[in-house]
Structures are given as structure tokens and as C-alpha cells.
Amino acid sequence: MGRCAFLFPGQASQYVGMARDLHGRYPSVRELFAQADACLGFSLSGVCFNGPEERLRQTAVTQPAVFVHGAAVWQLVAAAGVIPVAVAGHSLGEYVALVAAGALPLSDALDLVKARGRLMQQAGEERPGAMAAVIGLEDGRVEELCLQVQAEAGGEVVVPANYNAPGQVVVSGSPAGVERLGLLAREAGARKVTLLPVSGAFHSPLMQPAADRLREMLWQAGWQRPSVPVITNVAAAPVAEPDELRRQLVEQITHPVRWTESVQALSRTGVRLALELGPGSVLKGLVRRIDPELEVWSVGTVEELETSLDGIAKQV
């Protein structure tokens, strides 16, 4: 059915009520949430459907929530016979992408995501950090300003964390480092600098303890070569070797998400349609700015699923 890529969103796509309609309609979604509730030791479904929002925003909850929503939609799309020509996920979303590509069993990925969320939350508590979105400066200029802050303020950390789209870079680091970067970015002509509501300095060196602790678990998972290309955050290119995929998932925790380049790599495959599987439509907005010729359909609700499957069927 059709020819499309699968994209999977990451943290910050969550919202109270996510996946509730899918859970009510499809037995496979109910089974997956029951599996997740048992794995996590708390009612993920209850927090996803009913909140409170502060609880859903906790990293140890957010990451499994976004993973399970993405995996639930992927299972439904796959059951309808839609096979991707390539997959990519933004940060946490890379774990669902690896499941969709057949590189990781879903149960192993769920265990890894549970640990990843807990370890990243713990790292944020041990070394408090901050993140901010810088809008309206070129990537290279943001990189220069990060280096300037670190040179001026010994011991402060601030690095690019997400290259989300042209003119949109998220920085991550110590609270003082991110605050100083924001001041310099505004002076340099940034249109907007927005502090993000996160519990740690994700994709920065401050997350190294989480990367170290997750490494052993990644090597114990049941890996296979992916059946379709997986465009990774670290390489922004297709990666097929299981050992390399494992290594990059460790690196991903402390390295930037190269999303702009990842979408450009996807576009070079010739695909012109991508399905964003999971909560929200963040990736759709980013892709529109990176490559307007690559159409993205957001698929996170029953209505969006049915509309997308109808649209793909008409393309055949």
C-alpha cells in the first residue's frame, strides 16, 4: 500500500488524553497499554488519558507514554498493510522507529525506554540543567555563541541539542550557561528564545551518567538488522549494523538530534509522503520548514488513522 516513510515524535509531544480514543476502539492498543502498565509498575494508561499534566511531564512517565502511543499507531498501520520505505524518530522516537524497522523487539524497546526515562530524570536531578529554543539564527551562529559562553564562563555547559529545522536550534546545558546563551542570542538578532519546560539538560554532556548506565542494557537487548533503512539522530544517515545502532543510542543521549539533516537524508531517498505516528504534529511542522515538498500526515487519533489509511489506499 503506497510508498511512504514513518516518522516518530519524541518528548514534548505528549498531552493529557493522548491515545484514549485508540484505546477505546482497538483491542491491540488495549493489550499494549496493559503490557506497558505491567512493565512500568504504574498505570501509564491512567496518566495518559486523565493526567495530571505535571505527572505526564515527568521524564520517567513522558518517555514511555510517547513510545507506547507511537508503537500503538504503528501496529495499527502495519496491520493495515502499510510498509515504510524508511523510518526515523526524533530523540525518544528513534526507539519506536527501530521497532518498526524490525531491529528491536517491542518488549525489549519498552524495557529500554523505561530505563532511559528513569535514568535521564535521575541525571537531571543529580545535575540540574535547562534547555531553550533559539529561533531565527543560523545553526553556525548558535554554535559559535555556545562556544563563546563556555569560554567566558569556566565550568558552564551549553551545547546545541536539537537541530530541529532551519532557524530553530534547541540548546541544552547548565541553567546559567543556557541563560547566558539566551542573552547573547537575542543580542545577535534571534527572533525568539524560549526556555523549555524540561527536567534536565537532554542531549548534553550533563546526561553522561544516564548514557553510561543505559549502555549495558542496550547490549543485552535482542537486536536484528533492520528490514528498512533507519535514519539515526547521531549520523543523520541510514544505519543497519546492530552494533552501530546500539552505540549510537548511547551517544544520542549526550549528542544533538540532527533532525534537519535526517529529513534531508530521507528526502534523498525519493519518498514524498511520511506518516508521523504518535501524539501531536510537531514533526509535521518541522518537516514543512525543512522540505516543503515532503508531505507529512499526522496519525495519532482514530480519525487521523482512518483518514490516512483511506488516503494511502487511493494512491495505490
Side-chain angles (χ1 to χ4, degrees):
M1 281 180 72
R3 174 182 163 80
C4 63
F6 290 172
L7 305 177
F8 297 94
Q11 201 161 339
S13 300
Q14 74 278 358
Y15 60 90
V16 174
M18 60 190 287
R20 185 194 289 130
D21 62 339
L22 295 167
H23 186 274
R25 174 74 66 90
Y26 301 106
S28 65
V29 179
R30 290 194 287 276
E31 290 170 14
L32 180 54
F33 268 99
Q35 180 184 347
D37 288 354
C39 171
L40 296 165
F42 66 88
S43 177
L44 180 70
S45 51
V47 181
C48 285
F49 306 160
N50 306 309
E53 190 172 339
E54 312 88 75
R55 173 87 167 125
L56 184 58
R57 276 208 307 261
Q58 292 174 358
T59 299
V61 178
T62 306
Q63 294 197 17
V66 174
F67 172 86
V68 170
H69 193 164
V73 181
W74 161 71
Q75 286 184 330
L76 294 168
V77 170
V82 184
I83 300 170
V85 295
V87 297
H90 191 287
S91 190
L92 165 77
E94 193 158 281
Y95 284 78
V96 202
L98 289 162
V99 172
L104 258 182
L106 195 151
S107 58
D108 286 12
L110 180 57
D111 286 339
L112 288 166
V113 167
K114 173 187 175 182
R116 184 181 188 268
R118 176 176 53 80
L119 291 170
M120 289 176 71
Q121 182 168 315
Q122 187 178 326
E125 291 165 355
E126 290 171 357
R127 291 194 69 185
M131 299 179 75
V134 180
I135 310 296
L137 288 183
E138 291 184 358
D139 294 358
R141 187 69 181 115
V142 177
E143 292 165 356
E144 290 171 1
L145 294 176
C146 286
L147 291 174
Q148 181 180 334
V149 171
Q150 295 189 98
E152 288 177 352
E156 298 300 344
V157 174
V158 62
V159 296
N162 307 134
Y163 294 95
N164 278 337
Q168 185 186 134
V169 179
V170 173
V171 297
S172 180
S174 60
V178 170
E179 182 180 7
R180 177 63 179 154
L181 185 285
L183 291 171
L184 292 178
R186 290 185 185 93
E187 290 173 5
R191 198 162 68 248
K192 192 176 181 183
V193 179
T194 305
L195 205 60
L196 303 183
V198 295
S199 60
F202 304 143
H203 301 289
S204 85
L206 298 185
M207 286 288 118
Q208 191 61 52
D212 293 341
R213 293 164 188 161
L214 192 63
R215 182 179 285 107
E216 185 178 348
M217 281 191 69
L218 281 163
W219 254 257
Q220 291 172 347
W223 289 84
Q224 302 285 337
R225 284 183 67 88
S227 58
V228 299
V230 179
I231 298 169
T232 67
N233 292 178
V234 169
V239 177
E241 288 298 327
D243 281 354
E244 183 62 16
L245 288 168
R246 279 186 283 229
R247 188 184 67 76
Q248 289 196 22
L249 281 182
V250 176
E251 281 193 12
Q252 187 220 60
I253 295 176
T254 57
H255 285 63
V257 174
R258 296 166 61 190
W259 189 249
T260 298
E261 292 172 275
S262 295
V263 172
Q264 291 166 343
L266 182 62
S267 296
R268 286 194 292 273
T269 68
V271 69
R272 297 275 49 111
L273 172 66
L275 303 183
E276 178 179 3
L277 305 180
S281 56
V282 170
L283 300 184
K284 179 178 181 177
L286 297 179
V287 171
R288 189 183 297 123
R289 295 178 57 188
I290 298 166
D291 181 1
E293 298 298 311
L294 177 56
E295 189 173 4
V296 178
W297 297 349
S298 298
V299 188
T301 65
V302 170
E303 182 181 0
E304 289 170 347
L305 174 67
E306 293 174 347
T307 300
S308 298
L309 292 178
D310 285 347
I312 291 171
K314 289 171 184 173
Q315 291 186 346
V316 177

